Structures are given as structure tokens and as C-alpha cells.
Amino acid sequence: MIVLFVDFDYFFAQVEEVLNPELKGKPVAVCVFSGRFKDSGAIATANYEARKLGIKSGMPIPKAKEIAPNAIYLPIRKDLYKQVSDRIMYGILSKYSSKIEIASIDEAYLDITDRVKDYYEAYQLGKKIKDEIYQKEKITVTIGIAPNKVFAKIIAEMNKPNGLGILKPEEVEGFIRSLPIEEVPGVGDSIYSKLKEMEIKYLYDVLKVDFEKLKKEIGKSKASYLYSLANNTYAEPVKEKVRKHIGRYVTMKKNSRDIKEILPYLKRAIDEAYSKTNGGIPKTLAVVAIMEDLDIVSREKTFNFGISKDRAYLEAEKLLEEIIKSDKRRLRRVGVRLGKIYKSTTLDNFFNNV
């Protein structure tokens, strides 16, 4: 198996740089503002200039501003980033493999085993992918290529930013012996402290510990995972994941609490969301309101059967009414999120016509 892992570099902040080139070279942090008080919330991502100043993902915004008061702090625009991500994932990456696993908004695994003859061709394919993404979206990505998903992800991490790394099968044994255990995905602080107590410094050291002892300390699942990596028997396939949610949001011409004014925008969001289901039928519908202060309020309902677009119009209006009644603020944006999307050749079975 040859796996190619794609990681979008500091994605949210990079999209902001693409949209506003004046930000390039300046410290930029994208923030999730909670709205509870001024600057309450956390850093979603930061570019490398901001990271050099000590700003990290997950850091409280007030602390980041204390460390780097002159950095540029921008509110997160998740819908915008999702649009760019979708163009890259479905418009570019999907052309290069029939097996693609979208792990997150900015990460994807491609099984390219049947697309290349060897690792030289894999490397050339990686370069081609990088070039096309940058040419079309002006986004840099880092790529890792290896015999399994975990090693491909680690190799990408080692080559950030804007890099392309490769681990050939004949290099795996040496890689396992020299890889610090804390660099293995899934080894967090808690597990690392336990492994350290067992004198496990490198991935290979896992094999020196009795499996039953390791299982007792970190659990069967993690122990099996680390053993398979250390033995070079880990072979989890690249699995296409069904999109769990599809969301579409629309900015209104003016902030409003008037349902009659909001409904046309809500229906437009529903139309756009349903057009992206590729014939799938959702069982979960959420109405999402972005308020005038950028706070987010939502109401969700799950149905026993899939619901048609016409039914979604009616149910979404009810959910919108709940939001208006429970909150005194005006809405700035409105949208929907569809979940539990199913496909069937007999779609009638998924509709609740009662």
C-alpha cells in the first residue's frame, strides 16, 4: 500500500492571506470569539509568523493578545474555509485516487497504490498535486508519502510547511527505531507520561515491553495500535467517509428579527445544501443563526425518516421561530446543517409523508 497524506498549511489563516495579500508576512491568528465578553474565546489557527511569537491553537485570545498585542486577530469564517476545502478535496484530490479519506477540513489520505508503480512515481504525483492546488487556489500544502496512513501523517508533519516527504519501505525499520514515541499520532500527554515511566522513548521500544503490561497501562486499543506500528504490521485501509454534515449559510442584506425577511435567505440556504447531497436524504436538520454580535445559536431536529426539501422548508421555519422566541438579538446570517445523510435506490422509503 502507498498512502499519500495531504495537510493544508495553517489553513484558516492561509485562506485569509489569499483573500487579503496584505496580510502575508504578518502575524495572523484566526479566532473563535465566544461573545461572552470582549476577546473571550480561543485561537483556531495561526500562521507561522504568529507561531514564532508564541501564539498556539487553542490558546485563549486574551493570553495571545498579551503575548503578541500587535498580531492581527481575525474572526473565524468556517463556511468560507469549507468552500475552499471542498474545491480542493472534491475538485482536485479526488481526481488522483479512487480511494480518498477526508479526515478533516484540512487533511486527507489518498490510496495511490493503483496509480503509481513505485515511490519515485509517488513522489512525482505528490509534486503534481501540490502544484495544482497552488495554481488553482494559491494554497500551499504539505504532503507525506509512506506505506501506511500513520507514517504518511508523521512524514508530512516533519516536512511542514509547504514540504513533500517520503518514507520508502526499505527505510521503515530505521524510521521505527528512531521515531520519538511522542511524535506518534494518538500519543497525548497522559499516554506519553505512562510510556515514559516504562522507559519507552522511541516507537521501537514498545516491543521491549510485555504486551499485557502495556495493555494494562494504556488500554487494549492503544496498546494494539502501538504494537502494530512498531512491528510494521499496521495496515488500516484508506476508507471513503460519508459526509456526516452539509451546511450552507447566507448573509442577509441587513440584520433582522423579522421571520418574513429571514425566510427567503433560509430557503436559499436549504436549496444550496440539498444540491450538495448528491441525491442523499438527511434525517437531521439544524437551523443555524449567526447573530449581530457573531454569536451562534442553533436549533436541531432529528426525524425517523429522511426528509424532502419541501418538508425541510416547513420544519426549518419552525426551528427559526424557536430561535427568534428564545433570543432577543437580530440575525446577521442564517443557514442550515443537514446530517445523517443516506443514499438509497428506493428513496421513497426514506421519506416521512405523514
Side-chain angles (χ1 to χ4, degrees):
M1 182 165 63
I2 303 178
V3 178
L4 185 150
F5 176 71
V6 184
D7 189 340
F8 305 174
D9 298 327
Y10 63 100
F11 183 48
F12 296 171
Q14 192 179 179
V15 172
E16 297 291 349
E17 290 177 357
V18 171
L19 293 174
N20 183 3
E22 291 184 3
L23 296 175
K24 196 74 176 176
K26 299 176 183 178
V28 176
V30 175
C31 310
V32 179
F33 290 97
S34 69
R36 292 174 184 170
F37 58 87
K38 185 183 178 183
D39 290 341
S40 65
I43 303 297
T45 192
N47 67 3
Y48 283 88
E49 287 79 9
R51 294 179 194 185
K52 289 175 184 175
L53 300 176
I55 299 176
K56 299 177 181 178
S57 297
M59 178 180 285
I61 296 170
K63 183 177 179 181
K65 288 193 171 183
E66 184 180 323
I67 293 171
N70 295 322
I72 298 168
Y73 297 90
L74 302 173
I76 192 168
R77 298 195 280 178
K78 196 77 175 284
D79 300 339
L80 174 65
Y81 312 144
K82 186 67 167 61
Q83 291 173 18
V84 177
S85 174
D86 283 351
R87 290 200 300 267
I88 295 174
M89 299 292 190
Y90 301 104
I92 299 176
L93 295 183
S94 61
K95 298 187 302 183
Y96 291 97
S97 175
S98 58
K99 298 176 183 176
I100 175 171
E101 180 178 325
I102 299 172
S104 67
I105 194 171
D106 59 356
E107 295 180 333
Y109 298 92
L110 282 68
D111 186 335
I112 57 171
T113 311
D114 60 352
R115 295 296 178 99
V116 296
K117 290 188 295 186
D118 51 32
Y119 276 78
Y120 173 78
E121 285 193 2
Y123 184 82
Q124 297 303 315
L125 183 65
K127 287 177 63 177
K128 187 176 181 181
I129 290 172
K130 280 175 59 68
D131 290 344
E132 183 173 351
I133 292 173
Y134 188 75
Q135 180 185 1
K136 292 183 176 179
E137 298 291 342
K138 295 295 181 280
I139 294 291
T140 65
V141 303
T142 297
I143 287 177
I145 301 171
N148 68 49
K149 288 163 59 175
V150 175
F151 290 164
K153 183 177 175 66
I154 296 170
I155 290 295
E157 187 67 32
M158 290 178 170
N159 285 273
K160 286 184 178 181
N162 196 21
L164 172 53
I166 191 164
L167 178 68
K168 300 175 183 177
E170 60 267 26
E171 300 169 335
V172 169
E173 185 177 347
F175 179 75
I176 290 171
R177 289 179 178 273
S178 63
L179 180 68
I181 192 66
E182 66 268 26
E183 293 185 13
V184 176
V187 176
D189 293 340
S190 176
I191 290 178
Y192 175 60
S193 63
K194 294 177 181 178
L195 296 175
K196 193 174 180 181
E197 289 177 5
M198 290 183 279
E199 298 184 345
I200 297 175
K201 186 176 181 181
Y202 300 100
L203 178 56
Y204 181 77
D205 294 339
V206 169
L207 301 178
K208 301 175 183 178
V209 179
D210 179 71
F211 180 77
E212 291 301 318
K213 180 182 178 182
L214 188 66
K215 185 170 71 172
K216 183 179 179 181
E217 291 295 328
I218 65 173
K220 183 179 179 180
S221 176
K222 282 286 190 231
S224 299
Y225 165 69
L226 292 178
Y227 254 73
S228 65
L229 285 174
N231 270 315
N232 193 26
T233 56
Y234 180 88
E236 180 182 296
V238 173
K239 296 173 288 189
E240 183 178 359
K241 291 187 176 179
V242 176
R243 296 174 78 178
K244 294 181 180 178
H245 299 288
I246 292 177
R248 285 294 179 270
Y249 309 91
V250 180
T251 301
M252 300 187 296
K253 287 185 178 179
K254 64 176 183 177
N255 297 350
S256 177
R257 285 179 46 79
D258 187 333
I259 289 181
K260 290 182 180 179
E261 288 184 359
I262 300 170
L263 271 180
Y265 295 99
L266 181 57
K267 288 185 176 180
R268 179 176 144 197
I270 292 171
D271 288 341
E272 292 179 4
Y274 267 80
S275 73
K276 298 296 181 182
T277 61
N278 295 321
I281 302 298
K283 289 176 67 176
T284 298
L285 171 70
V287 171
V288 182
I290 294 85
M291 303 312 222
E292 54 193 337
D293 57 1
L294 299 183
D295 192 16
I296 298 174
V297 178
S298 65
R299 291 291 184 275
E300 182 174 304
K301 185 174 181 180
T302 298
F303 302 85
N304 292 328
F305 301 90
I307 61 169
S308 67
K309 187 166 68 172
D310 288 340
R311 176 76 183 278
Y313 290 152
L314 300 174
E315 298 294 342
E317 184 174 353
K318 295 175 186 176
L319 294 173
L320 175 62
E321 288 174 352
E322 288 182 22
I323 292 174
I324 297 293
K325 288 178 181 177
S326 66
D327 199 294
K328 301 301 181 184
R329 292 171 293 182
R330 291 177 298 173
L331 280 67
R332 175 188 176 91
R333 305 184 73 204
V334 68
V336 294
R337 187 174 64 245
L338 308 179
K340 295 185 179 179
I341 299 167
Y342 293 88
K343 286 189 177 182
S344 172
T345 53
T346 56
L347 291 178
D348 289 341
N349 294 335
F350 285 83
F351 288 115
N352 180 7
N353 296 314
V354 177

